Amino acid sequence: YEKAIRLARADISESEILKQNWWYEFKKAVTEIKKFGLNKILSLRFAQDNNTNILMLEFYISKLKELIRVRKDYDKSLEAVRNASWKKGFSQLKADHRKYLEEQNDFRYGWPWINENAGLPAPLKSYPKISILSPSFNSVGTIEKAILSVLNQGYPEFEHVICDAGSTDGTIEILKKYPHLKWVSEPDKGQSDAMNKAFRMSDGNIIAYLNVDDYFQRNAFYKIADAFEKDNSSDMVIGNLFFEYADHTFARVPDIEYKKIMLPFKYMFPINPVSYFYKREVQEKIGPFPIENHMTMDYWFLLKAYQNFKLQQIDAYLGTFCMNGYNKTSNANNRKNTHHRVLYHCWNFDRKNLPYYLYNYYKHFYYDQKPWNPGRIGNKIKKNLRRIHSILTLKKNKYYSQILFEKSRNRYFEKKRIRSIINILNSFIIYPKSLLYRSRQSQLIYSLLGADYSEKAKSAYFFLTTPPGLPLANKLHYYGNEFKNNNKIIKGNALLLLTYIISPKFIFKNKRTSSKKIKETFAVKPVSEFAPKNTLRKTIGFLRNKEYRETSYNLFNQAGERLYFHKNLQASILMFMSFIVSPSSIKKRSRRNLLTYSLLGDTITEKLKFAYHLYKDNPEYSLAHKLNYYGNELRKEYSTVKGNMILILAYVLSPKYISKREKVGKSNIVYASTQYVIPKKKISYKPKVIISNTANIFRDIRHSRDPAIMLKNFYLRSEYTVKSLFHYFKYRKYKAQSKELYTKAIESYNADRRMKVLTLILPSYILYPKSIINKNKFSLLVNSLLGKKMLRRLRRKG
């Protein structure tokens, strides 16, 4: 109770407690304790008869303790969340993760961590000084590997210049470990600025750039010096490189033709500076790298170098380009950047090759599109001309007008009024009859007025039209008084002034109309109160009665259920009953469709639906085109009768499809005629069987003398023989066997086995006699008969 007294006396301010979800409960508990007051708490301490109040006080005190504990836990968890690792900045997390990955992957063994000077190539006559230039920024995980790949080359004349942009992650401590480096760490304007600064600090005869994510391969400097010694007239030496991506490594061999590296989407260019070295004069003539170019500065340099200088290619792997997911190249849109760079180069330095590049770019288009096909271009032109012709001849304008109307409606909902107006006007121009459609007129008005004014116009329209029996002055008088009651005096007085102009009698009426009267005024009374006693009005009231409409709708739903379970008779009876109950429902299309489906049945309905959709769907194609396609599909499925019937209809509509008739492949199924089968006789030497067989023979001879039976047997035998011959020549099975024998005959002819060729060709003719027409098979037969020597003599003479 002492704690409760202290809490009751305490003045808890809202500024000390954040307005969290528990604030309402906390405040409620404190106010309930304060309700008792200090005197009540002291008196309740010794009271024995007021157990209820004591229990309630203990409840609120325990609740207050729990809420304070929850608040303390929340403060602790909030502090933990503020200091959590995921609250760090993205760049900091990215750098930490990159460092972790790269340190885990190298394990400090292998090249270039071990100092391998053994196995150096033969000494050279001269060792030109090679300058390795490296821009860097916050690359503590990879820069040491790059430095060691240069240092462990064992080359006598080299320098390594590193321009750092002011790293803060421990890169500077690594640079201080190696005294042979020339380095500077200060803020710059990007990678191009650092590369220009490193070039000015260097003094070597041969220049190469090394990004600190990459590294050189063994003896790369010796190979470059040897290449320049063999051909001193070359300005740049280009080699191969390894492309290390995730857990895969690829070998890349670049091209050295200028026109090929202009097409990076088709050919391979030196994608990293570790694969090429060049003389100092090359960069002095080309000029410094543009500082505003942060992504494709090396490609900018390569285009100019390939265009103006002599190149030499060697078959050696000079370095490794690491695509680790954290460098700039892996996060850039390289296709777009190279495209813009080539366009800039061609427009400013090589305009004669601009058409060549544009043609190839749009020909291949990011590896996706196939080369341009004149036939395909011709088909597209024909298709577009057909569309224009159909629009000009008002053939399919209704369809295109509907599409434009839908586009206009979509643009209106996207709040693009100008486009909506243009689309709806185009739909009117294409199909002028659509001016009569109410939906198109409404869409034009909405898009002209805009969303806000359209809503106001709608509300004004409904205000004027509903309820239909109430005069306008009554509505204005009612709404004017309502505005005045809601403290909108200006609007209310304006409406009342308009009311008095329309009907001055409202000046003398009471301005305050009760809500009950307004409801009675606006309520729609039943038809029975308005209808006079004549028969016509009663009939109209009956048709408009809501109860009969609901009954008709219920019958319609029941009919739909019956039709779903294929009870067509019950569905049709229910539909007739719904029309009798509410004859006005016959106007609705859904009711008429359901009655038609139930009367026709499922099969006829499906066929009619299919015919309707065949005619309506894909309006850009003609009906003859659809019938031709569907008929050929049926023929492919071996429904030849149906397919040919549909094709005949297509040929009647458009005779040009006769020349486009598709050849349908023959079936692999072997058919046999079952109408007449000669029974196989069983040979038996039992005396009873022999006697019965001879009796049967005499009986058959006696019956066969009947001319009708003789004619019938002759007809069946001849039909069986013709059909068997027809199916024999039609079988693809024998055709396939004939082809196999022909291929074996070709192999035997190539192996100089002439007799075997004859033994294979002749059975192939017997199996499939139609192949006698085949010229290749006949020539193979003649060549095998004559032999190769005789053929040579005939060719010499001929």
Side-chain angles (χ1 to χ4, degrees), residues 88-104:
K88 292 182 181 179
F90 178 72
S91 58
Q92 185 182 359
L93 280 173
K94 186 176 174 182
D96 292 345
H97 192 52
R98 171 183 174 176
K99 178 180 175 182
Y100 167 75
L101 283 179
E102 288 165 350
E103 286 182 353
Q104 289 295 320

Side-chain angles (χ1 to χ4, degrees), residues 115-131:
N115 189 6
E116 287 188 1
N117 289 329
L120 294 175
L124 304 172
K125 293 181 181 179
S126 62
Y127 294 94
K129 189 173 183 181
I130 298 175
S131 295

Side-chain angles (χ1 to χ4, degrees), residues 326-340:
Y326 298 97
N327 46 15
K328 270 199 317 183
T329 309
S330 60
N331 296 321
N333 191 351
N334 297 315
R335 292 179 180 178
K336 181 180 177 182
N337 294 333
T338 53
H339 174 59
H340 290 170

Side-chain angles (χ1 to χ4, degrees), residues 89 92 135 157 174 199 324 403 465 471 562 634 696 709 744:
Q92 185 182 359
E157 290 292 329
I174 294 174
F199 180 74
N324 53 18
I403 290 173
T465 55
R562 298 297 186 282
L634 284 174
N696 289 332
I709 295 171
K744 289 179 182 178

Side-chain angles (χ1 to χ4, degrees), residues 47-248:
Q48 300 295 328
D49 56 346
N50 203 350
N51 293 326
T52 307
N53 291 333
I54 292 170
L55 290 171
M56 289 299 296
L57 184 64
E58 287 178 353
F59 168 72
Y60 281 116
I61 290 170
S62 61
K63 190 171 184 180
L64 192 65
K65 287 179 183 179
E66 183 65 23
L67 287 166
I68 291 169
R69 186 185 64 77
V70 169
R71 179 62 192 174
K72 286 180 180 178
D73 292 344
Y74 177 78
D75 289 339
K76 288 179 184 178
S77 62
L78 184 66
E79 191 67 27
V81 167
R82 283 174 182 167
N83 298 326
S85 60
W86 54 269
K87 295 289 285 183
K88 292 182 181 179
F90 178 72
S91 58
Q92 185 182 359
L93 280 173
K94 186 176 174 182
D96 292 345
H97 192 52
R98 171 183 174 176
K99 178 180 175 182
Y100 167 75
L101 283 179
E102 288 165 350
E103 286 182 353
Q104 289 295 320
N105 286 336
D106 54 40
F107 299 111
R108 296 294 189 271
Y109 70 87
W111 174 262
W113 297 113
I114 56 174
N115 189 6
E116 287 188 1
N117 289 329
L120 294 175
L124 304 172
K125 293 181 181 179
S126 62
Y127 294 94
K129 189 173 183 181
I130 298 175
S131 295
I132 307 300
L133 314 179
S134 298
S136 80
F137 179 67
N138 284 346
S139 50
V140 67
T142 58
I143 192 168
E144 191 170 7
K145 191 173 186 178
I147 293 168
L148 289 174
S149 73
V150 176
L151 188 62
N152 292 341
Q153 293 287 332
Y155 189 77
E157 290 292 329
F158 78 96
E159 63 175 354
H160 195 178
V161 182
I162 298 177
C163 286
D164 186 73
S167 298
T168 58
D169 62 341
T171 304
I172 307 301
E173 285 71 16
I174 294 174
L175 296 177
K176 289 177 181 178
K177 287 168 56 178
Y178 298 97
H180 72 285
L181 297 174
K182 289 183 183 179
W183 62 276
V184 64
S185 180
E186 59 186 12
D188 52 37
K189 298 178 182 179
Q191 187 175 350
S192 299
D193 188 21
M195 293 166 74
N196 293 332
K197 194 186 296 182
F199 180 74
R200 290 193 295 271
M201 290 172 63
S202 66
D203 56 358
N205 299 324
I206 298 172
I207 304 296
Y209 284 92
L210 174 66
N211 295 323
V212 291
D213 296 309
D214 313 320
Y215 57 93
F216 287 111
Q217 291 293 323
R218 295 182 181 88
N219 301 327
F221 294 179
Y222 282 96
K223 293 171 185 176
I224 291 298
D226 184 38
F228 276 111
E229 185 179 338
K230 288 178 181 177
D231 186 5
N232 195 24
S233 62
S234 58
D235 298 313
M236 179 184 284
V237 176
I238 297 167
N240 309 332
L241 79 157
F242 293 111
F243 182 30
E244 192 176 293
Y245 183 78
D247 55 344
H248 300 286

Side-chain angles (χ1 to χ4, degrees), residues 238-243 250-257 260-261 266-272 275 306 313-319:
I238 297 167
N240 309 332
L241 79 157
F242 293 111
F243 182 30
F250 308 97
R252 292 287 181 260
V253 180
D255 290 291
I256 60 166
E257 293 182 23
K260 284 187 176 180
I261 72 150
K266 189 177 179 184
Y267 301 103
M268 181 60 63
F269 72 98
I271 55 175
N272 195 270
S275 63
Y306 270 62
Q313 188 173 21
I314 59 174
D315 188 14
Y317 289 90
L318 302 178

